[in-house]
């Protein structure tokens, strides 16, 4: 070993020793602070991997353009009338698609060693999960805002104005927060991030099409219509339309919130249990 | 009680099974505070599973363990407050930058924003990753990733650190760097439980070693005791003329020790307890006119340790109860 190498190594070691010696353990942070720190982590990921956001916003914008200009005239008589009908539904679709990624990113974490580190820390156990969903809600808001802005650019004008748009967006985000626990469970049960993505979209894609997002169910055959009517996605889309129009539909809003609460009540405890035992 | 130094880890009869696989089949460990303790074993021996139980990530199916005086099941939180884990898979977030990783850990451990940042910069500097601090970890080299991983483990200096195969897959320079860091940690008073597949690594760092195989401790002792039980290593030679190998084997067998024919038809090795005997062996070969392409005196490999301890190689182990030997008993 040359003198030069051993000199640098000694220098390194001295710096390492100083770094090791210089810490006293601070008091534990609170639960909320811990969850918010994990939320910050989620947002950093949005910043570093914006493609993920692109995936979930581009598809709904494509649907918006395609349905409005290709089928809008045929379905609703004119493109502007169709835009009026379908935009609140596309808002729902856009944000719900984003929730699949909550499960995907949870699964990605699990296949890496980083979760082991989190679990070896003296922190409030559910904080990583809650925090990443907090971070995800930021993604939901961005996805929803994009679709509303594109809609407005194409001529969509909600009767209830900005307040209506904000209220619908808030309702969809709250619903997604409940639904995302379901995808977290998928994320914990399935083997790979891709499997979560495939299973997630295989479920949510047909459910979105078998709802009133794109077409008025009055035109559908009986049994299909019955399904569409009870599909929670239809209920949520109806609630959003009513908020956009300034004529809030109490039942639809109530049912949407209840479904979200129900999803969270079932899948949140399941998520924490599975997370702990992995 | 004759134990004077407090034990950092005290495990009794740890068991963990996954379906039909018994990952850990009853492990006892007694690790004194302030040392590096090596857990040496081949792939699949149960090293990672043992660490995961001790670091409170999974519950043992049977047995108990106390880490720094706290039970890993009933007082898991108290254990987590004093240990940190550098896992076999790098336990850092690939989609964040190196600096963000360290700031995140600092915040989670309770540092204020400014202190967390200052601490991150101090560690990045000390560990030689300051230049890549703003890059995403997924673009890091293996050595940088591993150093960041260790830095993440000492954002707040732990009293005990689990290091799971810290140098597997690293080049020699990065490996030396990791060893330096581990030595510095111990010098500052941290206890390290080191899992490794390399006898050389355990020899370099550890004060005590437990050899494990198929979920059981099959031997324990100091590196010196362990090596004495296998010989310091082997003399490896490669002949210019493969046809003369049987002759060379017989000769080395007489002059040095048990000879083993290697996969290379011109190569063979002889168990060798010291370098003088190796020199005698080489001289004998020269006298017999057997030309050498090259030769080396190696430390015993894990395979040789296993062969010596169990009578079977580390891989393709026959099933059945492995014999348990204590090196202290053998050497005293
Ligand atoms: N989560 C798990 N599920 C099923 N089998 C496992 C799991 N973890 C470890 N094993 C099995 O237990 C054995 C010991 O594994 P491990 O502790 O990782 O060994 P090592 O770290 O010494 O290579 C292996 O046979 C491995 O396949
Ligand atoms: Mg392992």
């Amino acid at each position: 070993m040359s003198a030069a190498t051993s000199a640098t190594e000694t220098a390194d070691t001295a710096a390492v020793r100083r770094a090791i010696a210089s810490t006293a353990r601070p008091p534990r942070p609170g639960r909320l602070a811990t969850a918010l720190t994990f939320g910050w982590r989620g947002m950093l990921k949005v910043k570093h991997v914006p493609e993920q956001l692109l995936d979930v916003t581009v598809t709904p914008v494509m649907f918006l353009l395609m349905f409005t200009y290709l089928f809008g005239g045929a379905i609703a008589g004119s493109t502007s009338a169709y835009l009026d009908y379908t935009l609140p539904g596309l808002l729902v679709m856009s944000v719900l698609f984003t929730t699949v990624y909550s499960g995907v990113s949870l699964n990605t974490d699990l296949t890496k060693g980083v979760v082991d580190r989190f679990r070896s820390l003296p922190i409030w156990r559910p904080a990583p999960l809650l925090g990443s969903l907090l971070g995800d809600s930021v993604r939901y808001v961005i996805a929803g805002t994009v679709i509303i802005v594109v809609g407005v650019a194409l001529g969509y004008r909600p009767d209830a104005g900005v307040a209506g748009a904000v209220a619908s967006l808030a309702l969809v985000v709250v619903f997604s927060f409940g639904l995302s626990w379901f995808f977290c469970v998928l994320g914990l049960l399935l083997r790979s991030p891709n499997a979560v993505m495939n299973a997630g979209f295989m479920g949510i894609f047909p459910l979105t099409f078998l709802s009133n997002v794109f077409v008025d169910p009055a035109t559908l055959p009986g049994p299909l219509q019955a399904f569409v009517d009870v599909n929670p996605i239809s209920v949520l889309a109806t609630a959003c339309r009513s908020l956009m129009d300034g004529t809030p539909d109490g039942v639809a809003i109530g049912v949407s919130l209840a479904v979200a609460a129900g999803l969270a009540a079932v899948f949140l405890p399941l998520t924490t249990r599975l997370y702990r035992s992995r | 009680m004759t134990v004077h130094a407090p034990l950092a880890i005290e495990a009794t009869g740890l068991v963990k099974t996954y379906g039909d696989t018994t990952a850990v089949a009853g492990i006892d460990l007694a690790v004194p505070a302030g040392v590096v303790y090596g857990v040496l074993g081949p792939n699949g021996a149960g090293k990672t599973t043992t660490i995961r139980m001790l670091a409170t990530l999974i519950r043992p199916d049977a047995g108990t363990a106390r880490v720094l005086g706290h039970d890993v099941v009933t007082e898991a939180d108290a254990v987590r407050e004093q240990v940190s884990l550098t896992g076999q898979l790098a336990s850092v977030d690939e989609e964040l930058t190196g600096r963000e990783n360290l700031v995140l850990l600092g915040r989670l451990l309770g540092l204020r924003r400014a202190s967390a940042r200052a601490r991150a910069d101090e560690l990045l500097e000390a560990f030689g990753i300051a230049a890549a601090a703003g890059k995403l970890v997924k673009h890091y080299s293996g050595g940088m990733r591993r150093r960041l991983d260790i830095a993440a483990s000492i954002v707040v200096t732990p009293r005990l650190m689990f290091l799971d195969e810290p140098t597997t897959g690293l080049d020699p320079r990065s490996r030396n760097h990791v060893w330096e860091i581990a030595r510095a940690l111990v010098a500052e008073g941290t206890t390290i439980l080191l899992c490794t597949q390399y006898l050389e690594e355990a020899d370099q760092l550890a004060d005590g070693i437990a050899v494990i195989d198929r979920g059981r401790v099959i031997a324990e002792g100091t590196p010196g005791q362990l090596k004495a039980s296998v010989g310091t290593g082997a003399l490896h030679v490669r002949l210019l003329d493969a046809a003369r190998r049987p002759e060379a084997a017989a000769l080395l067998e007489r002059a040095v020790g048990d000879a083993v024919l290697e996969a290379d038809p011109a190569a063979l090795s002889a168990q060798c307890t010291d370098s003088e005997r190796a020199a005698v062996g080489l001289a004998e070969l020269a006298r017999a006119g057997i030309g050498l392409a090259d030769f080396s005196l190696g430390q015993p490999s894990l395979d040789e340790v296993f062969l010596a301890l169990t009578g079977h190689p580390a891989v393709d182990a026959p099933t059945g109860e492995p014999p348990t030997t204590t090196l202290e008993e053998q050497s005293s």
Side-chain angles (χ1 to χ4, degrees), chain A residues 13 19-20 22-23 25 28-29 41 45 48 116-117 119, chain B residues 52 57 77 81 85 91 93 100 108 119 149 153 157 180:
Chain A
T13 313
I20 292 166
S22 72
T23 57
R25 186 171 284 273
R28 272 198 204 201
R41 168 177 179 252
K45 291 197 174 202
H48 291 311
D116 276 358
R117 171 162 325 266
R119 296 185 349 153
Chain B
R52 287 170 65 83
L57 299 185
D77 230 37
E81 283 215 318
L85 170 74
S91 350
D93 198 328
E100 285 164 353
L108 291 176
R119 181 66 178 150
D149 204 358
S153 289
T157 312
E180 285 291 323

PDB file of all heavy atoms in Angstrom, chain A residues 13 19-20 22-23 25 28-29 41 45 48 116-117 119, chain B residues 52 57 77 81 85 91 93 100 108 119 149 153 157 180:
ATOM      1  N   THR A  13     -10.946   8.015   7.633  1.00  0.00           N
ATOM      2  CA  THR A  13     -11.284   7.423   8.908  1.00  0.00           C
ATOM      3  C   THR A  13     -11.480   8.504   9.969  1.00  0.00           C
ATOM      4  O   THR A  13     -12.413   8.426  10.759  1.00  0.00           O
ATOM      5  CB  THR A  13     -10.177   6.452   9.341  1.00  0.00           C
ATOM      6  OG1 THR A  13      -9.878   5.636   8.222  1.00  0.00           O
ATOM      7  CG2 THR A  13     -10.618   5.602  10.491  1.00  0.00           C
ATOM      8  N   ALA A  19     -17.736  12.045  12.467  1.00  0.00           N
ATOM      9  CA  ALA A  19     -19.165  11.978  12.137  1.00  0.00           C
ATOM     10  C   ALA A  19     -19.891  11.017  13.077  1.00  0.00           C
ATOM     11  O   ALA A  19     -21.018  11.256  13.477  1.00  0.00           O
ATOM     12  CB  ALA A  19     -19.348  11.533  10.688  1.00  0.00           C
ATOM     13  N   ILE A  20     -19.223   9.938  13.426  1.00  0.00           N
ATOM     14  CA  ILE A  20     -19.866   8.962  14.300  1.00  0.00           C
ATOM     15  C   ILE A  20     -19.997   9.505  15.719  1.00  0.00           C
ATOM     16  O   ILE A  20     -20.992   9.301  16.395  1.00  0.00           O
ATOM     17  CB  ILE A  20     -19.040   7.657  14.325  1.00  0.00           C
ATOM     18  CG1 ILE A  20     -19.118   6.980  12.975  1.00  0.00           C
ATOM     19  CG2 ILE A  20     -19.559   6.723  15.406  1.00  0.00           C
ATOM     20  CD1 ILE A  20     -18.096   5.900  12.787  1.00  0.00           C
ATOM     21  N   SER A  22     -20.362  12.506  16.726  1.00  0.00           N
ATOM     22  CA  SER A  22     -21.017  13.789  16.977  1.00  0.00           C
ATOM     23  C   SER A  22     -22.520  13.762  17.227  1.00  0.00           C
ATOM     24  O   SER A  22     -23.167  14.776  17.137  1.00  0.00           O
ATOM     25  CB  SER A  22     -20.737  14.724  15.806  1.00  0.00           C
ATOM     26  OG  SER A  22     -21.481  14.285  14.696  1.00  0.00           O
ATOM     27  N   THR A  23     -23.102  12.589  17.480  1.00  0.00           N
ATOM     28  CA  THR A  23     -24.553  12.636  17.601  1.00  0.00           C
ATOM     29  C   THR A  23     -25.076  12.223  18.962  1.00  0.00           C
ATOM     30  O   THR A  23     -24.618  11.270  19.563  1.00  0.00           O
ATOM     31  CB  THR A  23     -25.220  11.676  16.597  1.00  0.00           C
ATOM     32  OG1 THR A  23     -24.707  10.371  16.833  1.00  0.00           O
ATOM     33  CG2 THR A  23     -24.962  12.100  15.186  1.00  0.00           C
ATOM     34  N   ARG A  25     -28.917  11.318  20.592  1.00  0.00           N
ATOM     35  CA  ARG A  25     -30.231  10.971  20.080  1.00  0.00           C
ATOM     36  C   ARG A  25     -31.261  12.034  20.471  1.00  0.00           C
ATOM     37  O   ARG A  25     -31.427  12.324  21.652  1.00  0.00           O
ATOM     38  CB  ARG A  25     -30.664   9.603  20.623  1.00  0.00           C
ATOM     39  CG  ARG A  25     -31.963   9.083  20.037  1.00  0.00           C
ATOM     40  CD  ARG A  25     -32.192   7.657  20.460  1.00  0.00           C
ATOM     41  NE  ARG A  25     -31.335   6.738  19.721  1.00  0.00           N
ATOM     42  CZ  ARG A  25     -31.653   6.217  18.540  1.00  0.00           C
ATOM     43  NH1 ARG A  25     -32.802   6.511  17.987  1.00  0.00           N
ATOM     44  NH2 ARG A  25     -30.829   5.391  17.939  1.00  0.00           N
ATOM     45  N   ARG A  28     -37.999  11.613  20.310  1.00  0.00           N
ATOM     46  CA  ARG A  28     -38.790  11.067  19.206  1.00  0.00           C
ATOM     47  C   ARG A  28     -39.755  12.093  18.644  1.00  0.00           C
ATOM     48  O   ARG A  28     -40.390  12.804  19.404  1.00  0.00           O
ATOM     49  CB  ARG A  28     -39.659   9.933  19.744  1.00  0.00           C
ATOM     50  CG  ARG A  28     -39.017   8.614  19.726  1.00  0.00           C
ATOM     51  CD  ARG A  28     -40.120   7.606  19.859  1.00  0.00           C
ATOM     52  NE  ARG A  28     -39.601   6.372  20.399  1.00  0.00           N
ATOM     53  CZ  ARG A  28     -40.240   5.219  20.243  1.00  0.00           C
ATOM     54  NH1 ARG A  28     -41.404   5.192  19.621  1.00  0.00           N
ATOM     55  NH2 ARG A  28     -39.716   4.125  20.730  1.00  0.00           N
ATOM     56  N   PRO A  29     -39.905  12.131  17.314  1.00  0.00           N
ATOM     57  CA  PRO A  29     -40.893  13.055  16.748  1.00  0.00           C
ATOM     58  C   PRO A  29     -42.313  12.529  16.984  1.00  0.00           C
ATOM     59  O   PRO A  29     -42.500  11.330  17.224  1.00  0.00           O
ATOM     60  CB  PRO A  29     -40.555  13.052  15.265  1.00  0.00           C
ATOM     61  CG  PRO A  29     -39.900  11.740  15.024  1.00  0.00           C
ATOM     62  CD  PRO A  29     -39.217  11.355  16.299  1.00  0.00           C
ATOM     63  N   ARG A  41     -41.703  12.515   1.572  1.00  0.00           N
ATOM     64  CA  ARG A  41     -41.013  11.510   0.758  1.00  0.00           C
ATOM     65  C   ARG A  41     -41.819  11.218  -0.505  1.00  0.00           C
ATOM     66  O   ARG A  41     -41.263  11.128  -1.600  1.00  0.00           O
ATOM     67  CB  ARG A  41     -40.818  10.238   1.581  1.00  0.00           C
ATOM     68  CG  ARG A  41     -40.375   9.043   0.772  1.00  0.00           C
ATOM     69  CD  ARG A  41     -40.121   7.835   1.651  1.00  0.00           C
ATOM     70  NE  ARG A  41     -39.717   6.693   0.874  1.00  0.00           N
ATOM     71  CZ  ARG A  41     -40.494   5.624   0.650  1.00  0.00           C
ATOM     72  NH1 ARG A  41     -41.696   5.553   1.172  1.00  0.00           N
ATOM     73  NH2 ARG A  41     -40.048   4.633  -0.074  1.00  0.00           N
ATOM     74  N   LYS A  45     -40.891  11.886  -4.598  1.00  0.00           N
ATOM     75  CA  LYS A  45     -40.950  10.895  -5.679  1.00  0.00           C
ATOM     76  C   LYS A  45     -41.704  11.434  -6.876  1.00  0.00           C
ATOM     77  O   LYS A  45     -41.334  11.160  -8.012  1.00  0.00           O
ATOM     78  CB  LYS A  45     -41.629   9.623  -5.182  1.00  0.00           C
ATOM     79  CG  LYS A  45     -40.749   8.944  -4.205  1.00  0.00           C
ATOM     80  CD  LYS A  45     -41.150   7.523  -3.974  1.00  0.00           C
ATOM     81  CE  LYS A  45     -40.086   6.945  -3.095  1.00  0.00           C
ATOM     82  NZ  LYS A  45     -39.993   5.534  -3.147  1.00  0.00           N
ATOM     83  N   HIS A  48     -39.227  13.477  -8.623  1.00  0.00           N
ATOM     84  CA  HIS A  48     -38.148  12.777  -9.326  1.00  0.00           C
ATOM     85  C   HIS A  48     -38.653  11.850 -10.428  1.00  0.00           C
ATOM     86  O   HIS A  48     -37.918  11.531 -11.342  1.00  0.00           O
ATOM     87  CB  HIS A  48     -37.326  11.938  -8.344  1.00  0.00           C
ATOM     88  CG  HIS A  48     -36.527  12.767  -7.392  1.00  0.00           C
ATOM     89  ND1 HIS A  48     -35.727  13.800  -7.807  1.00  0.00           N
ATOM     90  CD2 HIS A  48     -36.418  12.729  -6.045  1.00  0.00           C
ATOM     91  CE1 HIS A  48     -35.143  14.359  -6.754  1.00  0.00           C
ATOM     92  NE2 HIS A  48     -35.553  13.732  -5.670  1.00  0.00           N
ATOM     93  N   ASP A 116     -37.533  -2.407   5.112  1.00  0.00           N
ATOM     94  CA  ASP A 116     -36.885  -3.012   6.277  1.00  0.00           C
ATOM     95  C   ASP A 116     -36.292  -1.930   7.171  1.00  0.00           C
ATOM     96  O   ASP A 116     -36.347  -2.020   8.386  1.00  0.00           O
ATOM     97  CB  ASP A 116     -35.769  -3.963   5.842  1.00  0.00           C
ATOM     98  CG  ASP A 116     -36.324  -5.334   5.500  1.00  0.00           C
ATOM     99  OD1 ASP A 116     -37.544  -5.523   5.654  1.00  0.00           O
ATOM    100  OD2 ASP A 116     -35.545  -6.195   5.077  1.00  0.00           O
ATOM    101  N   ARG A 117     -35.712  -0.922   6.548  1.00  0.00           N
ATOM    102  CA  ARG A 117     -35.150   0.132   7.361  1.00  0.00           C
ATOM    103  C   ARG A 117     -36.268   0.867   8.126  1.00  0.00           C
ATOM    104  O   ARG A 117     -36.149   1.075   9.322  1.00  0.00           O
ATOM    105  CB  ARG A 117     -34.350   1.129   6.524  1.00  0.00           C
ATOM    106  CG  ARG A 117     -33.986   2.312   7.384  1.00  0.00           C
ATOM    107  CD  ARG A 117     -32.882   3.218   6.917  1.00  0.00           C
ATOM    108  NE  ARG A 117     -31.781   2.647   6.232  1.00  0.00           N
ATOM    109  CZ  ARG A 117     -30.642   2.278   6.806  1.00  0.00           C
ATOM    110  NH1 ARG A 117     -30.496   2.384   8.107  1.00  0.00           N
ATOM    111  NH2 ARG A 117     -29.674   1.813   6.079  1.00  0.00           N
ATOM    112  N   ARG A 119     -39.047  -0.206   9.052  1.00  0.00           N
ATOM    113  CA  ARG A 119     -39.600  -1.041  10.109  1.00  0.00           C
ATOM    114  C   ARG A 119     -38.640  -1.247  11.267  1.00  0.00           C
ATOM    115  O   ARG A 119     -39.041  -1.706  12.323  1.00  0.00           O
ATOM    116  CB  ARG A 119     -40.072  -2.375   9.520  1.00  0.00           C
ATOM    117  CG  ARG A 119     -41.220  -2.108   8.534  1.00  0.00           C
ATOM    118  CD  ARG A 119     -41.858  -3.345   7.983  1.00  0.00           C
ATOM    119  NE  ARG A 119     -41.128  -4.550   8.288  1.00  0.00           N
ATOM    120  CZ  ARG A 119     -41.667  -5.728   8.376  1.00  0.00           C
ATOM    121  NH1 ARG A 119     -42.951  -5.862   8.209  1.00  0.00           N
ATOM    122  NH2 ARG A 119     -40.942  -6.782   8.620  1.00  0.00           N
TER     123      ARG A 119
ATOM    124  N   ARG B  52     -33.120 -10.434  10.961  1.00  0.00           N
ATOM    125  CA  ARG B  52     -34.466  -9.845  10.914  1.00  0.00           C
ATOM    126  C   ARG B  52     -35.214 -10.080  12.224  1.00  0.00           C
ATOM    127  O   ARG B  52     -36.005  -9.246  12.646  1.00  0.00           O
ATOM    128  CB  ARG B  52     -35.245 -10.394   9.721  1.00  0.00           C
ATOM    129  CG  ARG B  52     -34.735  -9.812   8.391  1.00  0.00           C
ATOM    130  CD  ARG B  52     -35.321 -10.527   7.195  1.00  0.00           C
ATOM    131  NE  ARG B  52     -36.752 -10.342   7.088  1.00  0.00           N
ATOM    132  CZ  ARG B  52     -37.324  -9.273   6.532  1.00  0.00           C
ATOM    133  NH1 ARG B  52     -36.596  -8.324   6.038  1.00  0.00           N
ATOM    134  NH2 ARG B  52     -38.627  -9.174   6.481  1.00  0.00           N
ATOM    135  N   LEU B  57     -37.879  -7.153  12.970  1.00  0.00           N
ATOM    136  CA  LEU B  57     -38.679  -7.093  11.749  1.00  0.00           C
ATOM    137  C   LEU B  57     -39.646  -8.265  11.676  1.00  0.00           C
ATOM    138  O   LEU B  57     -40.747  -8.142  11.150  1.00  0.00           O
ATOM    139  CB  LEU B  57     -37.785  -7.100  10.504  1.00  0.00           C
ATOM    140  CG  LEU B  57     -36.812  -5.945  10.392  1.00  0.00           C
ATOM    141  CD1 LEU B  57     -36.077  -6.000   9.071  1.00  0.00           C
ATOM    142  CD2 LEU B  57     -37.542  -4.625  10.521  1.00  0.00           C
ATOM    143  N   ASP B  77     -39.990  -1.842  20.637  1.00  0.00           N
ATOM    144  CA  ASP B  77     -39.758  -0.420  20.431  1.00  0.00           C
ATOM    145  C   ASP B  77     -38.474   0.054  21.114  1.00  0.00           C
ATOM    146  O   ASP B  77     -37.736   0.870  20.570  1.00  0.00           O
ATOM    147  CB  ASP B  77     -40.956   0.369  20.956  1.00  0.00           C
ATOM    148  CG  ASP B  77     -41.436   1.353  19.924  1.00  0.00           C
ATOM    149  OD1 ASP B  77     -41.392   1.006  18.727  1.00  0.00           O
ATOM    150  OD2 ASP B  77     -41.831   2.458  20.326  1.00  0.00           O
ATOM    151  N   GLU B  81     -35.033   1.671  19.294  1.00  0.00           N
ATOM    152  CA  GLU B  81     -34.437   2.959  19.653  1.00  0.00           C
ATOM    153  C   GLU B  81     -32.922   2.914  19.683  1.00  0.00           C
ATOM    154  O   GLU B  81     -32.280   3.949  19.697  1.00  0.00           O
ATOM    155  CB  GLU B  81     -34.933   3.379  21.035  1.00  0.00           C
ATOM    156  CG  GLU B  81     -36.325   3.915  21.000  1.00  0.00           C
ATOM    157  CD  GLU B  81     -36.511   5.036  22.004  1.00  0.00           C
ATOM    158  OE1 GLU B  81     -36.000   4.887  23.119  1.00  0.00           O
ATOM    159  OE2 GLU B  81     -37.157   6.032  21.646  1.00  0.00           O
ATOM    160  N   LEU B  85     -30.141  -0.961  11.173  1.00  0.00           N
ATOM    161  CA  LEU B  85     -30.032  -2.112  10.298  1.00  0.00           C
ATOM    162  C   LEU B  85     -29.512  -1.694   8.933  1.00  0.00           C
ATOM    163  O   LEU B  85     -30.048  -0.780   8.309  1.00  0.00           O
ATOM    164  CB  LEU B  85     -31.426  -2.733  10.136  1.00  0.00           C
ATOM    165  CG  LEU B  85     -31.567  -3.802   9.062  1.00  0.00           C
ATOM    166  CD1 LEU B  85     -30.924  -5.087   9.525  1.00  0.00           C
ATOM    167  CD2 LEU B  85     -33.029  -4.037   8.737  1.00  0.00           C
ATOM    168  N   SER B  91     -30.708  -0.819   2.061  1.00  0.00           N
ATOM    169  CA  SER B  91     -31.937  -0.290   2.667  1.00  0.00           C
ATOM    170  C   SER B  91     -32.030   1.225   2.507  1.00  0.00           C
ATOM    171  O   SER B  91     -32.213   1.941   3.471  1.00  0.00           O
ATOM    172  CB  SER B  91     -32.017  -0.662   4.137  1.00  0.00           C
ATOM    173  OG  SER B  91     -31.020  -1.583   4.480  1.00  0.00           O
ATOM    174  N   ASP B  93     -33.575   4.466  -0.277  1.00  0.00           N
ATOM    175  CA  ASP B  93     -34.612   4.701  -1.264  1.00  0.00           C
ATOM    176  C   ASP B  93     -33.972   5.083  -2.595  1.00  0.00           C
ATOM    177  O   ASP B  93     -33.365   6.137  -2.723  1.00  0.00           O
ATOM    178  CB  ASP B  93     -35.523   5.825  -0.755  1.00  0.00           C
ATOM    179  CG  ASP B  93     -36.835   5.835  -1.479  1.00  0.00           C
ATOM    180  OD1 ASP B  93     -36.859   5.473  -2.678  1.00  0.00           O
ATOM    181  OD2 ASP B  93     -37.848   6.183  -0.859  1.00  0.00           O
ATOM    182  N   GLU B 100     -31.309  13.415   0.183  1.00  0.00           N
ATOM    183  CA  GLU B 100     -32.704  13.309   0.641  1.00  0.00           C
ATOM    184  C   GLU B 100     -32.885  12.092   1.542  1.00  0.00           C
ATOM    185  O   GLU B 100     -33.615  12.146   2.535  1.00  0.00           O
ATOM    186  CB  GLU B 100     -33.657  13.227  -0.560  1.00  0.00           C
ATOM    187  CG  GLU B 100     -33.861  14.557  -1.259  1.00  0.00           C
ATOM    188  CD  GLU B 100     -34.472  14.422  -2.654  1.00  0.00           C
ATOM    189  OE1 GLU B 100     -34.610  13.277  -3.137  1.00  0.00           O
ATOM    190  OE2 GLU B 100     -34.788  15.454  -3.259  1.00  0.00           O
ATOM    191  N   LEU B 108     -37.036  11.531  10.543  1.00  0.00           N
ATOM    192  CA  LEU B 108     -37.795  10.448  11.178  1.00  0.00           C
ATOM    193  C   LEU B 108     -37.261  10.146  12.574  1.00  0.00           C
ATOM    194  O   LEU B 108     -38.004   9.687  13.444  1.00  0.00           O
ATOM    195  CB  LEU B 108     -37.738   9.177  10.320  1.00  0.00           C
ATOM    196  CG  LEU B 108     -38.501   9.256   9.001  1.00  0.00           C
ATOM    197  CD1 LEU B 108     -38.297   8.002   8.187  1.00  0.00           C
ATOM    198  CD2 LEU B 108     -39.991   9.493   9.247  1.00  0.00           C
ATOM    199  N   ARG B 119     -26.538  17.353   9.358  1.00  0.00           N
ATOM    200  CA  ARG B 119     -26.067  15.998   9.621  1.00  0.00           C
ATOM    201  C   ARG B 119     -25.870  15.232   8.311  1.00  0.00           C
ATOM    202  O   ARG B 119     -24.885  14.520   8.125  1.00  0.00           O
ATOM    203  CB  ARG B 119     -27.086  15.287  10.513  1.00  0.00           C
ATOM    204  CG  ARG B 119     -26.720  13.876  10.885  1.00  0.00           C
ATOM    205  CD  ARG B 119     -25.500  13.818  11.765  1.00  0.00           C
ATOM    206  NE  ARG B 119     -25.169  12.459  12.158  1.00  0.00           N
ATOM    207  CZ  ARG B 119     -23.937  12.045  12.410  1.00  0.00           C
ATOM    208  NH1 ARG B 119     -22.925  12.880  12.334  1.00  0.00           N
ATOM    209  NH2 ARG B 119     -23.728  10.798  12.755  1.00  0.00           N
ATOM    210  N   ASP B 149     -25.835   3.588   2.606  1.00  0.00           N
ATOM    211  CA  ASP B 149     -26.644   2.719   3.446  1.00  0.00           C
ATOM    212  C   ASP B 149     -26.129   2.738   4.893  1.00  0.00           C
ATOM    213  O   ASP B 149     -26.886   2.850   5.855  1.00  0.00           O
ATOM    214  CB  ASP B 149     -26.536   1.303   2.872  1.00  0.00           C
ATOM    215  CG  ASP B 149     -27.709   0.439   3.229  1.00  0.00           C
ATOM    216  OD1 ASP B 149     -28.593   0.917   3.958  1.00  0.00           O
ATOM    217  OD2 ASP B 149     -27.723  -0.718   2.790  1.00  0.00           O
ATOM    218  N   SER B 153     -27.556   4.449   8.493  1.00  0.00           N
ATOM    219  CA  SER B 153     -27.678   3.725   9.751  1.00  0.00           C
ATOM    220  C   SER B 153     -27.080   4.486  10.923  1.00  0.00           C
ATOM    221  O   SER B 153     -27.307   4.112  12.071  1.00  0.00           O
ATOM    222  CB  SER B 153     -26.968   2.375   9.657  1.00  0.00           C
ATOM    223  OG  SER B 153     -27.697   1.518   8.818  1.00  0.00           O
ATOM    224  N   THR B 157     -26.138   7.905  15.983  1.00  0.00           N
ATOM    225  CA  THR B 157     -25.261   6.766  16.245  1.00  0.00           C
ATOM    226  C   THR B 157     -25.965   5.688  17.068  1.00  0.00           C
ATOM    227  O   THR B 157     -26.438   5.959  18.167  1.00  0.00           O
ATOM    228  CB  THR B 157     -23.995   7.219  16.993  1.00  0.00           C
ATOM    229  OG1 THR B 157     -23.484   8.362  16.322  1.00  0.00           O
ATOM    230  CG2 THR B 157     -22.951   6.120  16.988  1.00  0.00           C
ATOM    231  N   GLU B 180     -13.102  -0.081   6.836  1.00  0.00           N
ATOM    232  CA  GLU B 180     -12.610   1.062   7.620  1.00  0.00           C
ATOM    233  C   GLU B 180     -13.743   1.674   8.446  1.00  0.00           C
ATOM    234  O   GLU B 180     -13.576   2.009   9.617  1.00  0.00           O
ATOM    235  CB  GLU B 180     -12.063   2.149   6.665  1.00  0.00           C
ATOM    236  CG  GLU B 180     -10.728   1.824   6.047  1.00  0.00           C
ATOM    237  CD  GLU B 180      -9.607   1.837   7.076  1.00  0.00           C
ATOM    238  OE1 GLU B 180      -9.659   2.691   7.983  1.00  0.00           O
ATOM    239  OE2 GLU B 180      -8.714   0.980   6.991  1.00  0.00           O
TER     240      GLU B 180
END
